[in-house]
Amino acid sequence: MFNFFVKYFGILKVVPFAAQLFDTQLRLWELLTLSPVPKYIDDIEGEVLRWPGVDKSIHKYGGLQFNFNGRELGHIHSNGLLDLRFSRAIKEKLLAEGRATEHHIFKKSGWISFYIRDYSDALYALELLKRAFLQNSGRL
Amino acid sequence: MNEVFTPKRLGFLVPHVFAMAVIGLTKYTWVESGVLVFSEFIIVPVVMGIISAWFWRKLALPGRKLSLFVIYNTFIAAFASAVFLGEGSICLLIVSPLIFGFMVMGAFMGAGMFKRNNQKLNVSVIAALMFIFVADSLSTHHYENMVSDTITVNAPPDKVWPNVVAFKRIKQPNKYWLFRIGMPSPVESTVTGYYEGAGRKCIFSNGYIFDERIAAYQPGVNLTFDVTHQPRDPEIMNHIDILRGQFLLKDNHDGTTTLTGNSWYRLYVFPVWYYDIWAESITRNVHLRVMEHIKELSEVGVDSLESKVLSQK
């Protein structure tokens, strides 16, 4: 459903607040269906915000965005879709691990996508965010 | 007293007092009568979210809990709208995702604003929202649209036509989900005569009657009618006026007829990019329910009211 909307109605993201409104509907759906995803996102948020220099903001296309010294590390849409930006070399390595996929829109970039569905996905998402943090803080 | 009005509870109370005051003010002052402008569904919920975030700022709510609190606030808003504005349950069901969306946006914006405690930013955001609200409230709001649907009937136009003008009660169960949960659907149509200027009535499942006047009567080709009176009801119909309806018949010269149903309506709720999706969907399903019934009557050769009248002459 998410991919369908992004594919056919993605153009609407230029309309102010349209993408954020869409993300709120994803959030509503996850909450009403008692999905564990919002809790995983909260847990990830709690952990990531403990890292030095990291803060959060609302992503311009909806969702929770993590920043390191003002630079975006990645963001999680409310349906549990984590998008992260890496160097091309790290991206290739992560794709080879077989869990993350090409970014759902920007395939020819360093961006990757990963769906958080269960607890093990949440742990892997945290690992990916840690790698993005280490890369951006010059420790990787 | 402080134990009753805790910050958490105030976050569930004050936004609604604010919203009712603003909507009451616009309703009885400068906004055109009966019109609900887009600011009332966008700016007001955003500010409600910001107000809630202000009261909840020390609770350090994680995203999931903040969203759940906003869901509670959406229910409270729906309840207050039903009590004070007389809105119907289906209407509230339609509006709730929009209210939730913008309220949750406001709550997250507010959480960010009050965390940074940047007064200049906060004043700018509130001033910008107020400016949009006032500008929108003072603007003229007028939106009309037309919905068109077509089906093929396996009968020639002379057999279809009598069932278009008036038809017996629809007994088929409803398929459209909004009709199934209680929204009135069309069930019967009657006429006072078979000529231009005659009166026509479209009767709905809950007894509502749309009074119409036949504006064009071209047997086998065109039936157009203007709606002269329609019910005022909390469920949708208070926010939309059906202006005109039309059935066009096209002979396909193979024993079938292309039947087109057109409806013109005016919306009194904004933003149209949200409500028109619903208005189109509802109008389309009204068309389809009637047109499928006409198709069924025409294809089984059920005697129409007109043929009975004509045979009596």
Side-chain angles (χ1 to χ4, degrees), chain A residues 15 17-22 24-25 27-28 31-32 35-36 38-40 42 45 49 55-58, chain B residues 42 61-65 67-68 71 75 96-98 100-102 104-105 108-109 111 115-116 273-274:
Chain A
V15 178
F17 303 116
Q20 284 93 339
L21 183 66
F22 176 59
T24 62
Q25 303 306 303
R27 181 184 295 271
L28 181 61
L31 289 166
L32 293 181
S35 155
K39 185 177 182 316
Y40 295 143
D42 279 355
E45 178 188 341
L49 291 181
D55 66 4
K56 65 173 181 177
S57 59
I58 301 172
Chain B
I42 295 177
L61 296 173
R64 179 169 159 267
K65 196 144 194 182
S67 305
L68 279 173
I71 289 180
F75 277 117
S96 290
L98 192 70
F100 169 82
F102 285 104
V104 90
M105 251 188 246
F108 277 87
M109 271 169 63
K115 192 179 169 193
R116 287 194 191 95
W273 55 257
Y274 183 75

Side-chain angles (χ1 to χ4, degrees), chain A residues 112-135:
Chain A
I112 60 154
S113 289
F114 176 68
Y115 267 106
I116 303 165
R117 286 278 166 250
D118 55 31
Y119 182 66
S120 74
D121 292 339
L123 291 178
Y124 189 64
L126 201 54
E127 197 182 315
L128 290 172
L129 277 159
K130 188 82 182 179
R131 287 199 215 185
F133 168 69
L134 293 174
Q135 177 187 269

